[in-house]
Structures are given as structure tokens and as C-alpha cells.
Amino acid sequence: MPLTQYYVAASLDGYIADPDDGLDWLTRYEGSYEGPGAADDPMAAGGSYEAFYERVGALVSGSATYEWILRHLGEVDEALESGVAWPYAGKPYWVLSSRELPVPEVEGADVRVVDASAEEIHPELARAAGERNIWVVGGGGVASQFAAAGLLDELHLTLVPVVLGAGKPLFAGPLPVMRLRAVTPIRNGMVELRYELAR
């Protein structure tokens, strides 16, 4: 069975986006750490994100996360004045939503909008992932659904030393006990934490 992993960045006070779904606090963060064991930026070539993503076979998110991705694609498209590629090309992406949502007409997009619960969709995600893993892209409500159903195996959290005071929470409800499996300080001042959820 593939692992189901929630890979996400959050502020010190537990938010994955500001109240307007903005991520400027993350993308514009500049800090530093020069202590022992510091890793390079996770998003750099050969970084930890690339290693994580190579092991992903299927993705799932809620509608708010998906719509943020669509807005970002639109902004990039306007800036380049040309077509842009889907960021998860070649990997099926499920969106859990009771609403009808547009599917991007960009190269490599395989988006499936479904009105289903985490329990209902998990077998299909596992089949699609094969020997790779399932990435719960976000948000907190979807991650909480998988956790409540006993289907979330790991939390990969990049902790950003910013306090937002309000926003979209990392999780929407209580979680079972988590066991810390890895801690990696990053040269930009963030910290990567990997937790395993107890079953």
C-alpha cells in the first residue's frame, strides 16, 4: 500500500494560508540559519521537495487549494503571455468538491473533480498511485478527513518562522498521536519536520 502523506508549509501559529488564501508570507520569507546540519532550500534543484515529489503517484486536495493553483496558473499565463504547463503533469489529481469546477486545458493536466469523502476516494487513489505515494496537497479540512478516517500516514511539515494571527488552519480538527521521525533545519531559517501518525 502506498503511504498517504500531507506535505505542507505552515506558520508558527499553525496556518497554511492567510485569511485571503495568500502565500506571500511563505514565498517572500527571507531568513537564515548557519548551524550544523543545515539543508538547502527544499524547492531548489535536487532539494527535498524534488525527492518527495518523485515518490508521488497520485494527488488529492480540496477545492480552495485547487482554485488557488488555477489562479496562480492564470497569473503566470498573463505574465508570460503564453501557455503554461500543469505543475503536476503526468500524475492524476483528484479534487474533493460538491461544486462543479473547471478543469485546466493545459498540457499534462489530469484533474478529476469528485463529490466524495476521503474514505470513498482512498482506494482509487491507492490504485492510481501504484507503488508510489499519495500526496494530500491541502487544505486542512481534507487532511483532517484522511486523518479522522485513519488513512493519513505521515505529515511532512515545513515550519516557517512567521506568525499570521489568523488564516487557514493546518488541520480542521484533532489528530491522533504523532511520532517525530525526522528534523531538518534549512539554511533559510525554516525547519522541516516529518511525523508518523499513530494507528
Side-chain angles (χ1 to χ4, degrees), residues 184-197:
T184 306
I186 305 169
R187 288 191 178 90
N188 65 7
M190 300 179 190
V191 180
E192 287 189 338
L193 306 169
R194 182 169 63 87
Y195 291 95
E196 179 183 273
L197 276 74

Side-chain angles (χ1 to χ4, degrees), residues 66 70 86 101-106 109-113:
Y66 174 64
L70 292 183
W86 176 245
L101 297 170
V103 173
E105 296 181 8
V106 294
D110 180 3
V111 176
R112 308 159 191 204
V113 181

Side-chain angles (χ1 to χ4, degrees), residues 4-8 16 21 52 56-71 73 86-88 91-99 101-104 110-119 121-122 125 133-146 152 170:
T4 301
Q5 302 167 311
Y6 183 26
Y7 183 99
V8 65
I16 61 174
D21 288 326
F52 167 82
V56 170
L59 303 88
V60 61
S61 80
S63 58
T65 298
Y66 174 64
E67 288 174 313
W68 184 91
I69 294 168
L70 292 183
R71 285 195 303 273
L73 278 178
W86 176 245
Y88 312 116
K91 300 186 182 188
Y93 186 117
W94 278 261
V95 183
L96 304 186
S97 178
S98 58
R99 299 181 289 124
L101 297 170
V103 173
D110 180 3
V111 176
R112 308 159 191 204
V113 181
V114 295
D115 186 2
S117 68
E119 286 177 297
I121 202 66
H122 189 265
L125 291 168
N133 297 322
I134 300 165
W135 178 12
V136 179
V137 184
V142 171
S144 292
Q145 277 189 50
F146 279 86
L152 187 63
L170 178 63

